[in-house]
Coordinates of all heavy atoms in Angstrom, one line a residue:
A66 N 25.0 -10.9 42.9 CA 24.4 -9.5 42.8 C 25.4 -8.4 43.2 O 25.5 -7.4 42.5 CB 23.2 -9.4 43.8
M67 N 26.3 -8.6 44.1 CA 27.3 -7.6 44.5 C 28.3 -7.6 43.4 O 28.7 -6.4 43.1 CB 27.9 -8.0 45.8 CG 28.8 -7.0 46.4 SD 27.9 -5.3 46.8 CE 27.0 -5.7 48.2
K68 N 28.7 -8.7 42.9 CA 29.7 -8.6 41.7 C 29.2 -7.7 40.6 O 29.8 -7.0 40.0 CB 30.1 -10.0 41.3 CG 31.0 -10.7 42.3 CD 31.7 -11.9 41.7 CE 31.2 -13.2 42.4 NZ 31.7 -14.4 41.9
K69 N 27.9 -8.1 40.3 CA 27.3 -7.4 39.1 C 27.1 -5.9 39.4 O 27.5 -5.1 38.5 CB 25.9 -8.0 38.9 CG 25.1 -7.5 37.7 CD 24.0 -8.4 37.3 CE 23.1 -7.9 36.3 NZ 21.9 -7.1 36.8
A70 N 26.7 -5.5 40.6 CA 26.7 -4.1 41.1 C 28.0 -3.4 40.7 O 28.0 -2.3 40.2 CB 26.2 -3.9 42.5
G71 N 29.1 -4.0 41.1 CA 30.4 -3.5 40.9 C 30.8 -3.4 39.4 O 31.3 -2.3 38.9
E72 N 30.4 -4.4 38.7 CA 30.7 -4.5 37.3 C 29.9 -3.3 36.6 O 30.3 -2.8 35.6 CB 30.4 -5.8 36.7 CG 31.5 -6.9 36.9 CD 30.9 -8.3 36.9 OE1 29.9 -8.5 36.3 OE2 31.7 -9.2 37.3
E73 N 28.8 -3.1 37.1 CA 27.9 -2.1 36.5 C 28.3 -0.6 37.0 O 27.6 0.4 36.7 CB 26.4 -2.3 36.8 CG 26.0 -3.5 36.0 CD 24.5 -4.0 36.2 OE1 23.9 -3.4 37.1 OE2 24.0 -4.8 35.4
G74 N 29.3 -0.6 37.9 CA 29.8 0.8 38.3 C 29.7 1.2 39.7 O 30.0 2.4 40.0
L75 N 29.1 0.3 40.4 CA 28.9 0.8 41.9 C 30.3 0.9 42.6 O 31.1 -0.1 42.7 CB 28.0 -0.2 42.7 CG 27.9 0.1 44.1 CD1 27.3 1.5 44.4 CD2 27.0 -0.9 44.8
V76 N 30.6 2.0 43.1 CA 31.8 2.3 43.9 C 31.3 2.8 45.2 O 30.4 3.7 45.3 CB 32.6 3.5 43.1 CG1 33.8 3.9 44.0 CG2 33.2 2.9 41.8
W77 N 32.0 2.4 46.3 CA 31.7 2.8 47.6 C 32.1 4.2 48.0 O 33.0 4.3 48.8 CB 32.0 1.7 48.6 CG 31.4 0.4 48.4 CD1 32.0 -0.7 48.3 CD2 30.0 0.1 48.5 NE1 31.1 -1.8 48.1 CE2 29.9 -1.2 48.3 CE3 28.9 1.0 48.8 CZ2 28.6 -1.8 48.2 CZ3 27.7 0.3 48.7 CH2 27.5 -1.1 48.5
T78 N 31.5 5.2 47.4 CA 31.7 6.6 47.8 C 30.9 6.7 49.2 O 30.1 5.8 49.6 CB 31.0 7.5 46.9 OG1 29.6 7.2 46.8 CG2 31.7 7.5 45.4
E79 N 31.2 7.7 49.9 CA 30.4 7.9 51.1 C 28.9 7.9 50.9 O 28.1 7.4 51.7 CB 30.8 9.2 51.9 CG 32.2 9.1 52.3 CD 32.7 10.4 53.0 OE1 31.9 10.9 53.9 OE2 33.7 10.9 52.8
E80 N 28.4 8.6 49.7 CA 27.1 8.6 49.4 C 26.4 7.3 49.2 O 25.3 7.0 49.6 CB 26.9 9.6 48.3 CG 27.3 11.1 48.4 CD 28.8 11.3 48.5 OE1 29.6 10.5 48.0 OE2 29.1 12.4 49.0
A81 N 27.2 6.5 48.4 CA 26.7 5.1 48.1 C 26.5 4.3 49.3 O 25.5 3.6 49.5 CB 27.5 4.5 47.0
M82 N 27.5 4.4 50.1 CA 27.5 3.6 51.3 C 26.4 4.0 52.3 O 25.8 3.1 52.8 CB 28.9 3.7 52.0 CG 29.1 2.4 52.9 SD 30.8 1.9 52.9 CE 31.3 3.0 54.1
A83 N 26.1 5.3 52.3 CA 25.0 5.7 53.2 C 23.7 5.2 52.7 O 23.0 4.7 53.4 CB 25.0 7.3 53.2
E84 N 23.5 5.2 51.4 CA 22.2 4.6 50.8 C 22.2 3.1 51.0 O 21.1 2.5 51.4 CB 22.2 4.9 49.3 CG 21.9 6.3 49.1 CD 21.5 6.6 47.6 OE1 20.6 5.9 47.2 OE2 22.1 7.5 47.0
Y85 N 23.3 2.4 50.9 CA 23.4 0.9 51.0 C 23.1 0.6 52.5 O 22.3 -0.3 52.8 CB 24.8 0.5 50.7 CG 25.0 -1.0 50.9 CD1 24.3 -1.9 50.2 CD2 26.0 -1.5 51.8 CE1 24.6 -3.3 50.4 CE2 26.2 -2.8 51.9 CZ 25.5 -3.7 51.3 OH 25.8 -5.0 51.5
L86 N 23.6 1.3 53.5 CA 23.5 1.0 54.9 C 22.1 1.3 55.3 O 21.7 0.7 56.4 CB 24.6 1.7 55.8 CG 26.0 1.3 55.4 CD1 27.0 2.0 56.3 CD2 26.2 -0.3 55.7
E87 N 21.3 2.1 54.8 CA 20.0 2.4 55.1 C 19.1 1.2 54.8 O 18.2 0.9 55.6 CB 19.6 3.6 54.3 CG 18.3 4.3 55.0 CD 17.9 5.5 54.2 OE1 18.7 6.2 53.5 OE2 16.7 5.7 54.1
A88 N 19.4 0.5 53.7 CA 18.6 -0.6 53.2 C 19.4 -1.5 52.3 O 19.1 -1.4 51.1 CB 17.2 -0.1 52.6
P89 N 20.3 -2.2 52.8 CA 21.2 -3.0 52.0 C 20.5 -3.8 50.9 O 20.9 -3.8 49.8 CB 21.9 -3.9 53.0 CG 21.9 -3.2 54.3 CD 20.6 -2.5 54.3
R90 N 19.4 -4.6 51.3 CA 18.8 -5.4 50.3 C 18.0 -4.7 49.3 O 17.5 -5.3 48.4 CB 18.1 -6.6 51.1 CG 19.1 -7.6 51.6 CD 18.6 -8.6 52.6 NE 18.2 -7.9 53.8 CZ 17.7 -8.7 54.8 NH1 17.7 -9.9 54.8 NH2 17.3 -8.0 56.0
K91 N 17.7 -3.5 49.5 CA 17.0 -2.7 48.5 C 18.0 -2.1 47.6 O 17.8 -2.0 46.4 CB 16.2 -1.6 49.2 CG 14.7 -2.0 49.5 CD 13.9 -0.8 49.9 CE 12.7 -1.2 50.7 NZ 12.2 -0.3 51.6
Y92 N 19.2 -1.6 48.1 CA 20.1 -1.0 47.3 C 20.9 -1.9 46.3 O 21.1 -1.5 45.3 CB 21.0 -0.2 48.2 CG 21.9 0.8 47.5 CD1 21.3 1.9 47.0 CD2 23.3 0.6 47.3 CE1 22.2 2.8 46.2 CE2 24.1 1.5 46.7 CZ 23.5 2.6 46.1 OH 24.3 3.5 45.4
V93 N 21.2 -3.1 46.9 CA 21.8 -4.1 46.0 C 20.9 -5.5 46.2 O 21.1 -6.1 47.1 CB 23.2 -4.5 46.5 CG1 23.8 -5.6 45.6 CG2 24.2 -3.2 46.5
K94 N 20.0 -5.4 45.3 CA 19.0 -6.6 45.3 C 19.7 -7.8 45.1 O 20.4 -8.0 44.1 CB 17.9 -6.4 44.3 CG 16.9 -5.2 44.6 CD 15.7 -5.2 43.9 CE 14.8 -4.0 44.2 NZ 15.3 -2.8 43.9
G95 N 19.6 -8.8 46.0 CA 20.1 -10.1 45.9 C 21.4 -10.2 46.8 O 22.1 -11.2 46.8

Side-chain angles (χ1 to χ4, degrees):
M67 187 62 78
K68 282 192 250 182
K69 184 161 173 270
E72 281 157 15
E73 289 177 352
L75 177 59
V76 171
W77 294 121
T78 60
E79 292 181 50
E80 294 74 19
M82 205 143 81
E84 288 191 50
Y85 178 62
L86 293 179
E87 201 184 324
R90 285 171 291 189
K91 269 190 198 150
Y92 193 69
V93 178
K94 288 194 180 69

